[in-house]
Amino acid sequence: LFGLPSFVPASTWMLVAALAFVLIDAAVQFSQNQLTLRHYEDRSQSAFDQQQALRKIAAAARSAERRRVHRHGPYTKAPLDHGDSRRKLARPGHLSKLQEQLQRLAGPLDIGADLTEAGSLAQARRRALRLFKLILKEEALVTTASGRGSLISEAPEPAVDRETLLRWAFAGARSPPPKLAAALFSYGPWVTQDAFVQAVERSYKEQRLLTASVANFDRLQVILLRGLQCIWAFIFLVLLLRLPFIDVNLVSMLIPLTSALLIFFTLAGGVCAEVFTSFFFTYVTRPYDIGERVYVATPGSSPALSSLIVKDVEVLRTHFLTANGEAMVVSNSSVKNMALTNLSRSGKLTLLVQLMVPAATQSSKINELLDAIATFAV
């Protein structure tokens, strides 16, 4: 075989081509993992912690209900299910922590085996209502949320302190994360029925939007891989034509090929620039994900396009939904040159109120005023 004049160069070409193909695939996969971790690791961890807290609350409520039912009769204590009713998934060694969390978040919202899985927003709402009724049966947890009474009867609405609720749910297990209560129940320290239902709905929506965003990011990753493979194929085709057993004179083809490439890039120069700019904007910068609400405005002016919800992100354009439910398609290159405000990634809204305080006012009085304002705001 080594005596054949074409065996060694052909074998070398195939070996280098296969090695380059593997390296391109590995490099793209590595870049995707790094970008995915940067975008979604904290978000997936927060969603996972919140769903785990909901499962623990559901498990504690069901355990308390069983104790109440069997209080006057023989009762065999069942092992507490503090959120471990989540379906077991295979955990192969090559999966990262982020991939494991995304797998656990995939599928219907699971807040306990007895409540079954919620495959729609309406089911999640009904299961949240039933779960909160079980929580209200624990008299030690229930209090009244001042200021949240009915407008007709002015009766205070029964509520649960969010910190107490999580400590009760995590009893016998590790303590909850410090900021979990505020992240799960973000409407104040008191958890009413409406606040609990909204927390479950928000967890359901976050699970769906996170899964859709990662799938969209993977689609852009496939486009990048296919583009690099086309460049790889062109380069190695030229190398193939340079092999001694291929009777092709590349020098005679160089002038017409170069002329054709110059004409193509001259005619499609704007398109190529827009493709590269838009791809970098959506794949690397990634200023928004599916389901997030954004404002788009000219720098230094009021938002011209406000309250837009991201529906889909493509290489060249982004699909938005307006406040009226209208579908809007905007070029990514146009959005890149605008001032973009992502409300979903912004912090809490801050209201600035100017107060006139005499210069001779004591600092203790100013602190009392600030405490009173903070108490009123809460």
Side-chain angles (χ1 to χ4, degrees):
L1 292 177
F2 283 96
L4 298 176
S6 60
F7 177 77
V8 174
S11 301
T12 305
W13 177 85
M14 289 188 292
L15 179 61
V16 175
L19 182 60
F21 181 84
V22 173
L23 291 178
I24 288 175
D25 195 3
V28 173
Q29 184 66 35
F30 177 78
S31 65
Q32 185 209 18
N33 290 338
Q34 296 301 314
L35 293 174
T36 304
L37 288 175
R38 188 181 69 182
H39 281 293
Y40 302 115
E41 190 172 27
D42 295 338
R43 185 177 171 184
S44 64
Q45 182 64 46
S46 176
F48 180 77
D49 290 341
Q50 292 181 24
Q51 289 199 17
Q52 187 182 44
L54 289 176
R55 291 194 295 272
K56 288 183 178 294
I57 292 173
R62 292 195 306 270
S63 299
E65 179 68 14
R66 287 195 294 267
R67 287 194 297 270
R68 283 191 297 269
V69 171
H70 297 86
R71 182 172 300 171
H72 303 291
Y75 173 63
T76 302
K77 185 176 181 180
L80 294 181
D81 178 15
H82 286 290
D84 294 332
S85 59
R86 186 70 169 168
R87 54 182 174 275
K88 303 299 181 181
L89 296 174
R91 302 182 62 179
H94 67 277
L95 288 181
S96 64
K97 181 180 179 181
L98 174 62
Q99 291 173 319
E100 293 177 2
Q101 290 175 353
L102 293 177
Q103 283 192 0
R104 291 178 181 273
L105 291 173
L109 177 65
D110 185 0
I111 52 176
D114 292 351
L115 296 175
T116 68
E117 297 176 342
S120 65
L121 190 60
Q123 288 182 353
R125 187 180 298 112
R126 289 195 298 268
R127 283 151 177 72
L129 290 172
R130 189 170 60 166
L131 177 57
F132 192 74
K133 291 179 180 178
L134 293 178
I135 296 174
L136 291 181
K137 293 182 180 180
E138 288 293 310
E139 298 179 356
L141 299 176
V142 181
T143 181
T144 56
S146 59
R148 294 183 177 270
S150 172
L151 295 177
I152 299 177
S153 62
E154 296 297 335
E157 185 178 1
V160 179
D161 181 72
R162 61 188 185 186
E163 300 287 349
T164 306
L165 177 62
L166 286 186
R167 285 196 300 267
W168 173 71
F170 279 77
R174 62 178 181 84
S175 58
K179 299 181 180 180
L180 179 59
L184 183 58
F185 306 108
S186 58
Y187 296 101
W190 301 110
V191 182
T192 60
Q193 175 177 293
D194 293 339
F196 188 82
V197 172
Q198 289 174 359
V200 175
E201 290 179 350
R202 193 168 59 250
S203 178
Y204 175 86
K205 293 177 182 178
E206 176 64 13
Q207 173 182 330
R208 292 294 183 271
L209 294 176
L210 181 59
T211 305
S213 298
V214 174
N216 178 260
F217 197 81
D218 291 341
R219 188 177 62 191
L220 294 178
Q221 141 85 7
V222 173
I223 295 176
L224 174 62
L225 182 60
R226 295 293 181 267
L228 293 179
Q229 287 176 348
C230 292
I231 298 175
W232 163 86
F234 176 78
I235 294 175
F236 279 90
L237 177 60
V238 175
L239 294 178
L240 177 64
L241 297 178
R242 291 288 297 170
L243 295 180
F245 60 89
I246 303 295
D247 189 13
V248 176
N249 189 359
L250 288 180
V251 178
S252 61
M253 299 175 57
L254 184 61
I255 296 178
L257 182 61
T258 304
S259 302
L261 290 177
L262 288 177
I263 293 174
F264 173 77
F265 284 112
T266 301
L267 296 177
V271 177
C272 294
E274 183 178 0
V275 169
F276 283 105
T277 302
S278 300
F279 187 84
F280 184 86
F281 179 73
T282 57
Y283 187 77
V284 180
T285 306
R286 197 71 176 180
Y288 44 67
D289 287 313
I290 294 177
E292 295 183 343
R293 190 181 298 273
V294 299
Y295 285 171
V296 179
T298 303
S301 62
S302 301
L305 300 174
S306 59
S307 191
L308 299 178
I309 299 177
V310 182
K311 181 181 179 182
D312 192 16
V313 182
E314 297 180 354
V315 176
L316 297 178
R317 55 189 179 269
T318 300
H319 298 259
F320 294 102
L321 289 178
T322 65
N324 299 327
E326 300 172 344
M328 178 183 296
V329 181
V330 183
S331 172
N332 292 329
S333 58
S334 300
V335 180
K336 179 180 179 297
N337 297 325
M338 303 287 284
L340 182 70
T341 303
N342 192 327
L343 299 179
S344 301
R345 299 183 186 180
S346 302
K348 294 183 178 180
L349 181 63
T350 301
L351 299 179
L352 300 179
V353 180
Q354 188 174 12
L355 299 177
M356 302 299 294
V357 181
T361 305
Q362 298 179 0
S363 59
S364 60
K365 295 296 183 181
I366 296 178
N367 291 332
E368 291 178 4
L369 176 61
L370 295 177
D371 294 339
I373 294 175
T375 303
F376 175 78
V378 173

